[in-house]
Amino acid sequence: MLARIYRPAKTAMQSGKAKSKDWRLDFEPASARTIDPLMGWIGSSDMNGQVRLTFETKEEAIAYAERHGIPFRLHEPQEPPMILKAYADNFATYRKQPWTH
């Protein structure tokens, strides 16, 4: 029962970063998913796949996993670089290419 500790990326649907500051602990799937022959639904006998714990800090998530004896893998987030832009830069005289529509 291996756990994964990570900070989720922001959603692609909006530009905001809501719900991306917390750290999450998810369990890796212990068994493969199977297809139900009658309905065609996908299911699993692993109930830990439904557990998703949220923590405020990385240290809290690591402490929880160690306290309960859960082996874990830590995934550090990759922060995108900050690119400062201003609207006035579109009309600057030092532009390489002229401004066009």
Side-chain angles (χ1 to χ4, degrees):
M1 175 170 78
L2 182 67
R4 182 172 62 132
I5 297 174
Y6 65 100
R7 202 168 82 193
K10 73 178 196 73
T11 64
M13 301 305 291
Q14 295 183 4
S15 62
K17 293 186 178 183
K19 297 183 181 179
S20 66
K21 301 289 185 198
D22 293 338
W23 287 80
R24 190 174 288 164
L25 185 140
D26 290 340
F27 290 100
E28 297 283 334
S31 61
R33 295 181 180 229
T34 58
I35 298 175
D36 182 48
L38 179 63
M39 297 297 290
W41 295 346
I42 298 175
S44 175
S45 61
D46 182 26
M47 299 313 260
N48 285 331
Q50 299 177 9
V51 177
R52 178 178 292 162
L53 302 174
T54 305
F55 299 94
E56 301 244 345
T57 63
K58 171 176 61 171
E59 289 77 22
E60 287 179 8
I62 292 172
Y64 178 85
E66 289 174 348
R67 187 170 54 244
H68 291 285
I70 301 169
F72 63 91
R73 184 180 309 141
L74 182 65
H75 296 276
E76 291 287 340
Q78 295 180 355
E79 295 294 328
M82 283 291 276
I83 301 172
L84 298 176
K85 296 181 182 179
Y87 180 70
D89 291 340
N90 291 332
F91 307 101
T93 57
Y94 56 84
R95 283 182 55 98
K96 302 280 190 226
Q97 299 173 352
W99 184 82
T100 62
H101 289 282

